[in-house]
Structures are given as structure tokens and as C-alpha cells.
Amino acid sequence: MDPTLEDMPARLRPTLQMLLNTSAEDERIRAVWLEGSLARGLADDWSDLDLHLAVREPESFAATDWLESQVHLVLADAIPGLTGSFICVTSGWIHIDLNVHPPDGEFAPEDTRRVLFDRDALIRNSMTTASPSGLPFFPAQDVQIFLYVLGQSVASVRRGDLIAHSQATAMMRDRLLVNLLLAENGVTSP
């Protein structure tokens, strides 16, 4: 466990400390850990918080309501295809990827994580990469499609077709941007 946050970026530290303190007071929350750049020690003030919670009865745990009770959210959106995962943005423009897991779930040993709180010794710290090869790669077709859709979105905005623009933005995020971010870390999306 690592309850100290002294090495965390200064802008993120107060929010993270408050979420950690609240988690320790909530018996439903069994463990809290970070993944991504914060876990690898590569974060800066504008990095997102990849926050993971092991929670009793995750199906009844209202994750975004819990987060909203701690910080004011301007966005709380479920990540398509990932049960218990949410993209959240605070009014202070802190991006939080909130992920809820059952306490008896499988926690792959190859995930990069930094355990902050663990009541039941469920989670282990790990500093390896999330992919078998771990080598970044360039998904050329995804990049081409991303740039094409980005260019077409300008026309949607100019025409006032906000529904088309909204759907294009969601597709860019879910189908393309996520794949590009995974490729940057050497992970092939399923």
C-alpha cells in the first residue's frame, strides 16, 4: 500500500487525497489503486486519474454518484463495452477514468498499478507493462480514419448538424482515440 502522495503532480494531489480519504471511510470500498501514467511515475499536472476501486456489490454501487458527492462533475459518461468504467471530468478540468471492480475479481499480475489503499490485501503493486510485447506501434489505418472523421466534423459543425457531430465525436473517442492511446503503450485493442 502507498498512502503517501508526495510524488503526485501538485494539481492532482488534493483531489486524489480527498478521494483516498473518502474511500477509507466507506466500508463498501475494499481497495483503491491507480493505473496509467500515475502508476508508472510519468504523470504531469494534466494527466488523467486512472482510478480503480474494488467495491462490495459493484452492481449496486453508483460510482458516478459516489464521485459526484466528492467533486463537482461536468461529465460522467459510461465507457462503452467496459462495465463499471466511466469517463469523468471535474469542474476544475481534472479527467478521472473511474473503474469499479468486484473485490473477488481477477486482477491480472501484469497490469501496471500503484496500490493506495487495500483493506483485504486484494491487489499487488506491479510495474510491468499491460501488453505481452509492450512495444508501441503505429496503427496507420486508425490514424487515417481519425483524421478523416476529424476533418468531416468541421462540416457537421458548420452545418449545425450537432447529432452527426456528436456521433462522430463518440466514434472517434471509442473506436479510434482509445486504440491510438493503447497502441502508444503497446497494447492491441480486442
Side-chain angles (χ1 to χ4, degrees):
M1 288 198 314
D2 183 7
T4 64
L5 301 174
E6 295 170 2
D7 61 333
M8 290 290 145
R11 179 174 173 271
L12 304 176
R13 194 177 311 132
T15 299
L16 189 53
Q17 185 65 62
M18 185 253 323
L19 293 172
L20 184 58
N21 292 343
T22 303
S23 297
E25 296 168 2
D26 191 332
E27 282 295 317
R28 299 173 300 171
I29 299 173
R30 307 313 293 169
V32 177
W33 68 95
L34 299 171
E35 292 186 6
S37 61
L38 286 169
R40 291 191 301 269
L42 302 174
D44 61 31
D45 278 340
W46 296 97
S47 294
D48 60 337
L49 295 176
D50 292 312
L51 185 67
H52 292 257
L53 308 175
V55 177
R56 283 187 189 149
E57 301 177 15
E59 58 283 344
S60 65
F61 183 76
T64 56
D65 291 343
W66 172 82
L67 187 58
E68 177 76 41
S69 73
Q70 314 307 311
V71 293
H72 180 255
L73 297 178
V74 295
L75 173 71
D77 196 10
I79 299 175
L82 296 175
T83 303
S85 296
F86 306 89
I87 296 171
C88 303
V89 178
T90 71
S91 57
W93 211 248
I94 294 176
H95 176 175
I96 302 171
D97 289 335
L98 181 61
N99 300 275
V100 177
H101 307 273
D104 57 352
E106 288 289 321
F107 303 109
E110 66 271 4
D111 287 344
T112 300
R113 69 177 62 93
R114 178 174 172 179
V115 178
L116 301 175
F117 173 74
D118 191 353
R119 290 182 207 277
D120 307 317
L122 301 169
I123 315 299
R124 291 181 306 164
N125 279 316
S126 174
M127 293 306 289
T128 58
T129 58
S131 79
S133 68
L135 299 175
F137 61 93
F138 185 76
Q141 184 176 13
D142 285 345
V143 171
Q144 287 177 327
I145 294 169
F146 181 85
L147 293 174
Y148 173 79
V149 173
L150 182 63
Q152 290 300 314
S153 69
V154 173
S156 297
V157 170
R158 292 292 296 168
R159 292 180 183 138
D161 191 353
L162 298 182
I163 293 174
H165 182 65
S166 172
Q167 290 180 348
T169 301
M171 191 274 294
M172 285 173 46
R173 177 193 69 199
D174 301 339
R175 166 61 182 92
L176 300 169
L177 188 56
V178 169
N179 288 349
L180 296 175
L181 293 171
L182 291 171
E184 178 181 58
N185 289 289
V187 178
T188 303
S189 63

